[in-house]
């Protein structure tokens, strides 16, 4: 039987599916996909290596700071144990830590060394539950154990100033003093009462003044010609104008605006639908929110200690303002409690057309008539009952991905016209072996290249999900490195999204934490003065050295002290060397040298199974005859029927003494081995060289039953 594997988008699946050749995804799935990525076109490509960017003081959590598509404005926030550092794609940014004019700690770009870190209130063990949401130059941070904080960036490129501070809700100008009120004319003992509100240049209102009273006045309906009220008050620093309110039917209704500190009420009608704001802070006394997001120009806070099922929305366009009107207005802050039977706290919120809320018991949609949520127009509809963990969801195209309760399943949600709501699938159902007994610690979406979600498992294993809903593509792969991945974050780069990682590695007998960046996908494209294969980067914690003249000495490798390393010198692999004294000596001079920790990439499709005239092939012995592997831009690699019995692909340089030219085309091979029930086909790359598999054709010879 001659069978072709030309689509690897199903990714690695559980061993228990090796008999399910009736599934439509069987032919696109693999039994092993290690350090290989399924591409959207169906081929499989070796995972790029990881650039070494610098060493951290200890374990850390990465959060993205994405201002716009320009890479110069995008950074990564590195949270350590009560510390904060800033990095870009090139590594740690030196900060000069000091105090701003308000006495708060801040860090400004400057200097040439990393320098001290800014301090934060967050302990290292609490960081995985930190929720964040960004609006412009401000990142808000929510955690049930800490008051709401924010990180702000100001200044210009090259001279940014970073600050972290607790959020002070409902701050504004000072309230005006009590106004003096004088009624012109004879009164009848009716008390006229007024309040004044200061307004700054941005339209932000203060709290109202205390009510100024004229005891011997008349009700406005009794005023006659010549009656009016004169008001005056002291100026408020920073005020651009003042709103004036008069009491009517128990409310203080708006009657006018003054640019100065006086006003004449000429019996204007009091609009009791527009009243002064009153202070309201549902997060006082340690009732901290655990979730922060933005929706419809409001900040959304949810999952407080006292009301875990409630969510709150700020005033429209004023994210840190929770002051209310009486009676409530459409732009007033919102409080809503999810009534789901059990007390399932809100663990995430996301703006996705509607406001989507994830709880430990289910997923909900919050909307209003016309789509706009207001104080009097909130509708909550349950969308699913799978439940969610606290990991922030990822928005991809028209889908939103979230982690199911207990952290062992990944699901997507997308709008279904038939349901008139959100439907979804279990994206981990084919690969439960990757999640059994584990949970996901963090994840990040790298939109380009490849539309890949990188997920960090609690034991440090890095998983990748290639996902594109519109083409029904989703497949998992495992990415093993010499150490444990602790955190990931993706930011927009110039040509593609940049993935930064915190990796814990053992070097010189002790654990160290490195900041690293995933290298770009390698392509066989010419670069000025650099041979194509010499630009390949397939090592972890690696560095590339480009020298003007060839040399045998490579220095600056202190972070790899004592470790055996993989080396690519002018496009040719060098093996058997270790780092000593922060350097190594090559067996021959080379100009372009890449040095780092080795890793192995392996790919193995599911066994060939089918129904024939004689019945099913399940359980039959089989062996492989002549096989064909279609490669693209590949150098080297191995093949065989068992991972520990491999043969080199027959690739040789065009001229002796020069590196191999990347090969694209078909290679024929005979993997050998006797007939076995468990025989399969393996492709492995264990050298720092590229590997891209477009297709595999295997000729299978079936024997008797085992």
């Amino acid at each position: 039987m001659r069978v072709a594997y030309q689509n690897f988008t199903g990714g690695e699946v559980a061993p228990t599916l090796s008999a399910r050749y009736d599934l439509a995804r069987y032919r696109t799935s693999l039994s092993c996909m290690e350090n290989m990525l399924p591409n959207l076109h169906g081929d499989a490509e070796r995972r790029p290596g990881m650039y070494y960017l610098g060493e951290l003081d200890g374990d850390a959590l990465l959060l993205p700071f994405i201002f716009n598509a320009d890479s110069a404005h995008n950074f990564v926030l590195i949270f350590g144990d009560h510390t904060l550092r800033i990095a870009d794609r090139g590594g740690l940014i030196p900060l000069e830590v000091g105090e701003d004019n308000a006495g708060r700690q801040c860090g400004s770009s400057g200097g040439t060394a990393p320098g001290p870190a800014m301090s934060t209130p967050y302990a290292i063990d609490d960081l995985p539950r930190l929720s964040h949401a960004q609006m412009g130059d401000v990142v808000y941070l929510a955690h049930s154990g800490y008051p709401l904080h924010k990180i702000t960036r100001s200044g210009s490129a090259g001279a940014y100033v970073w600050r972290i501070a607790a959020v002070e809700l409902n701050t504004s100008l000072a309230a005006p003093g009590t106004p003096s009120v004088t009624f012109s004319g004879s009164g009848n003992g009716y008390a006229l009462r007024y309040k004044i509100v200061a307004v700054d240049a941005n339209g932000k209102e203060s709290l109202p003044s205390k009510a100024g009273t004229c005891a011997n006045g008349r009700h406005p309906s009794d005023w006659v010609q010549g009656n009016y009220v004169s008001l005056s008050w002291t100026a408020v620093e920073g005020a651009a104008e003042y709103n004036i309110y008069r009491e009517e039917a128990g409310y203080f209704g708006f009657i006018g605006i003054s640019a100065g500190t006086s006003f004449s009420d000429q019996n204007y009608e009091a609009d009791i639908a527009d009243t002064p704001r009153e202070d309201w802070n549902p997060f006082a006394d340690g009732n901290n929110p655990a979730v922060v997001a933005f929706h419809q120009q409001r900040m959304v806070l949810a999952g407080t200690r006292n009301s875990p099922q409630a969510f709150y929305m700020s005033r429209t366009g004023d994210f840190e303002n929770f002051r209310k009107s009486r009676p409530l207005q459409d732009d007033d802050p919102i409080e809503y409690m999810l009534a789901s039977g059990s007390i399932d706290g809100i663990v995430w919120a996301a703006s996705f057309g509607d406001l989507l809320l994830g709880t430990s018991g289910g997923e909900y949609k919050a909307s209003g008539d016309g789509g706009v949520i207001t104080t009097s127009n909130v509708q909550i509809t349950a969308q699913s009952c799978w439940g969610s963990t606290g990991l922030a969801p990822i928005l991809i195209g028209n889908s939103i991905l979230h982690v199911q309760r207990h952290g062992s399943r990944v699901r997507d949600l997308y709008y279904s016209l038939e349901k008139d709501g959100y439907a979804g699938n279990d994206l981990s159902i084919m690969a439960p072996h990757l999640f059994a007994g584990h949970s996901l610690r963090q994840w990040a979406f790298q939109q380009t290249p490849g539309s890949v979600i990188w997920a960090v498992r609690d034991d440090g294993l890095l998983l990748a999900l290639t996902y594109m809903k519109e083409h029904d593509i989703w497949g998992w792969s495992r990415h093993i490195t010499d150490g444990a991945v602790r955190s990931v974050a993706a930011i927009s780069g110039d040509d593609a999204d940049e993935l930064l990682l915190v990796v814990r590695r053992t070097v010189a007998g002790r654990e160290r934490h490195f900041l690293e960046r995933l290298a770009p996908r390698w392509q066989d494209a010419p670069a000025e003065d650099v041979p194509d294969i010499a630009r390949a980067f397939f090592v972890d914690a690696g560095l590339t050295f480009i020298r003007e003249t060839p040399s045998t000495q490579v220095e600056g490798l202190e972070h790899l002290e004592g470790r055996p390393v993989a080396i690519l010198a002018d496009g040719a692999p060098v093996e058997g060397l270790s780092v000593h004294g922060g350097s190594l000596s090559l067996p021959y001079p080379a100009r372009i040298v890449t040095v780092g920790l080795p890793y192995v990439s392996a790919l193995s499709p599911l066994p060939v199974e089918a129904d024939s005239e004689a019945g099913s092939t399940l359980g039959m012995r089989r062996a492989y005859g002549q096989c064909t592997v279609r490669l693209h831009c590949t150098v080297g690699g191995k093949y065989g029927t068992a991972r520990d019995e491999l043969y080199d692909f027959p690739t040789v340089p065009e001229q002796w003494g020069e590196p191999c030219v990347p090969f694209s085309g078909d290679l024929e091979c005979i993997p050998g081995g006797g007939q076995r029930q468990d025989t399969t086909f393996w492709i492995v790359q264990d050298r720092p060289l590229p590997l891209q598999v477009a297709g595999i054709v295997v000729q299978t010879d079936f024997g008797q039953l085992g």
Side-chain angles (χ1 to χ4, degrees), residues 171-259:
T171 59
S172 63
L173 300 174
T178 305
S180 64
V181 181
T182 304
F183 181 73
S184 176
S186 59
N188 59 9
Y190 181 83
L192 292 166
R193 290 158 49 87
Y194 292 83
K195 288 185 177 182
I196 312 297
V197 171
V199 184
D200 65 16
N202 296 320
K204 193 170 184 178
E205 300 180 3
S206 72
L207 288 174
S209 67
K210 293 182 179 179
T213 305
C214 173
N216 189 27
R218 288 177 176 271
H219 187 274
S221 61
D222 294 335
W223 289 11
V224 297
Q225 187 174 1
N227 289 154
Y228 62 90
V229 173
S230 298
L231 297 95
S232 63
W233 57 91
T234 57
V236 175
E237 184 178 357
E241 59 186 20
Y242 301 87
N243 292 344
I244 295 88
Y245 299 84
R246 186 180 68 224
E247 186 180 35
E248 185 70 33
Y251 294 99
F252 282 86
F254 175 78
I255 61 171
I257 298 174
S258 174

Side-chain angles (χ1 to χ4, degrees), residues 406-463:
H406 307 308
S408 60
R409 286 286 187 271
V410 175
R411 306 190 67 90
D412 63 358
L413 284 172
Y414 52 88
Y415 183 78
S416 170
L417 187 61
E418 296 178 355
K419 184 182 175 182
D420 193 21
Y422 290 84
N425 300 305
D426 183 348
L427 301 179
S428 49
I429 192 170
M430 300 285 285
H433 65 300
L434 298 179
F435 302 90
H438 297 282
S439 60
L440 295 185
R441 174 183 171 90
Q442 195 185 21
W443 58 0
F445 177 51
Q446 190 181 27
Q447 178 174 319
T448 53
S451 188
V452 178
I453 298 169
W454 299 91
V456 179
R457 212 167 67 174
D458 55 6
D459 62 349
L461 178 64
L462 183 65
L463 303 176

